[in-house]
Amino acid sequence: MVLSRRGVVLGGLAMVAVGATSNIAQAAAAKSFFAGTASDNNFVYRKTNFAKIDKRWHRQIVKYFSSEPVGTVVVDTRHHFLYVIMENKTAIRYGVGVGKDGFKWYGRATIDRRALWPQWVPPPEMRKRRPDLPHMVAGGASNNPLGPRALYLHRNGADTGYRLHGTLEPWSIGTDASSGCIRMFPEDIIDLYQRCPIGTAVQVLPHIADQAPASTTVE
């Protein structure tokens, strides 16, 4: 087969058009996960379009049997749920996004710091993997992945580096998508923030992180 210059040019243009169409489709799909905006503490965030979200990830009260004290936060990374234990064998259940393979963790921690519209400082290890990342993103910035709230997990008085926080990617809830932190819908992290004072106990159960080495702890 002999290709003419005109054929090569037209073929290239067709590939560009297909790529552009694909990008437009992806942008439209992402946009469908949002439904307007809301104001919070002088910042604006995009509201989640929960009509687009599988109902299993919606915040709800469920039956929950646990020996942990009322108020404890329990994270089930295998099934992508976070529970706040309540009275009468019930809990508030939230859908969450969790760590990707190689970034899973488990253990006990406490919430020793809480932040409204926190700034984001990528840890050195992350910047080593992604040198394109900024050194810091201001709280409330449209590209700040922590969203409207962050709850900082500590152990024995030391910061573990892990957080419970919001997300800019509602489609990632229910998946293994993060670098170890637990991400939530903006509306859910705002709700959780109100329920978790300083000192709240957090447990990520060992058996739900069966891919992690036996010695892995939140340190």
Side-chain angles (χ1 to χ4, degrees), residues 18-40:
V18 169
T21 301
S22 176
N23 290 339
I24 291 172
Q26 290 175 359
K31 186 177 180 180
S32 70
F33 281 90
F34 301 101
T37 60
S39 178
D40 173 84

Side-chain angles (χ1 to χ4, degrees), residues 2 4-6 11 26 33 38 59 84 86 100 104 113 119 146-147 149 159-160 177 193 195 201 204:
V2 178
S4 68
R5 181 175 182 277
R6 180 172 182 273
Q26 290 175 359
F33 281 90
R59 186 194 328 157
V84 176
M86 301 174 65
K100 295 177 283 191
K104 297 185 189 300
R113 180 187 167 202
Q119 69 176 15
L146 300 185
R149 304 285 190 277
D159 188 350
T160 65
Y193 180 95
R195 300 178 188 277
V204 181

Side-chain angles (χ1 to χ4, degrees), residues 134-219:
H135 289 276
M136 186 274 288
V137 179
S142 61
N143 63 333
N144 186 320
L146 300 185
R149 304 285 190 277
L151 302 173
Y152 297 76
L153 303 184
H154 288 63
R155 189 176 187 182
N156 299 325
D159 188 350
T160 65
Y162 298 118
R163 288 89 174 88
L164 312 177
H165 61 73
T167 182
L168 300 175
E169 303 174 340
W171 54 86
S172 69
I173 300 302
T175 69
D176 300 351
S178 77
S179 295
C181 291
I182 307 301
R183 56 175 63 176
M184 306 175 71
F185 296 119
E187 296 84 355
D188 284 355
I189 191 62
I190 289 173
D191 183 83
L192 184 69
Y193 180 95
Q194 296 171 333
R195 300 178 188 277
C196 295
I198 296 295
T200 295
V202 178
Q203 181 186 26
V204 181
L205 300 176
H207 76 274
I208 60 179
D210 51 17
Q211 296 183 29
S215 60
T216 298
T217 54
V218 185
E219 295 183 27

Side-chain angles (χ1 to χ4, degrees), residues 62-173:
V62 298
K63 279 290 184 184
Y64 191 82
F65 300 86
S66 174
S67 60
E68 297 295 324
V70 170
T72 301
V73 171
V74 179
V75 182
D76 179 342
T77 59
R78 176 183 294 169
H79 299 104
H80 304 96
F81 291 126
L82 180 150
Y83 299 86
V84 176
I85 297 175
M86 301 174 65
E87 297 177 344
N88 302 318
K89 298 181 174 62
T90 62
I92 302 174
R93 190 182 78 186
Y94 307 80
V96 297
V98 302
K100 295 177 283 191
D101 285 341
F103 295 93
K104 297 185 189 300
W105 62 276
Y106 62 85
R108 290 183 179 270
T110 57
I111 295 172
D112 283 7
R113 180 187 167 202
R114 310 186 321 150
L116 289 166
W117 292 100
Q119 69 176 15
W120 179 53
V121 179
E125 317 83 66
M126 184 179 291
R127 294 199 72 254
K128 190 174 294 184
R129 297 191 304 270
R130 292 276 311 280
D132 58 306
L133 291 175
H135 289 276
M136 186 274 288
V137 179
S142 61
N143 63 333
N144 186 320
L146 300 185
R149 304 285 190 277
L151 302 173
Y152 297 76
L153 303 184
H154 288 63
R155 189 176 187 182
N156 299 325
D159 188 350
T160 65
Y162 298 118
R163 288 89 174 88
L164 312 177
H165 61 73
T167 182
L168 300 175
E169 303 174 340
W171 54 86
S172 69
I173 300 302

Side-chain angles (χ1 to χ4, degrees), residues 44-72:
V44 173
Y45 67 92
R46 291 190 291 179
K47 296 190 298 183
T48 304
N49 177 13
F50 283 99
K52 178 77 174 179
I53 304 297
D54 190 313
K55 289 186 177 180
R56 84 178 77 174
W57 310 127
H58 290 202
R59 186 194 328 157
Q60 53 196 286
I61 295 177
V62 298
K63 279 290 184 184
Y64 191 82
F65 300 86
S66 174
S67 60
E68 297 295 324
V70 170
T72 301

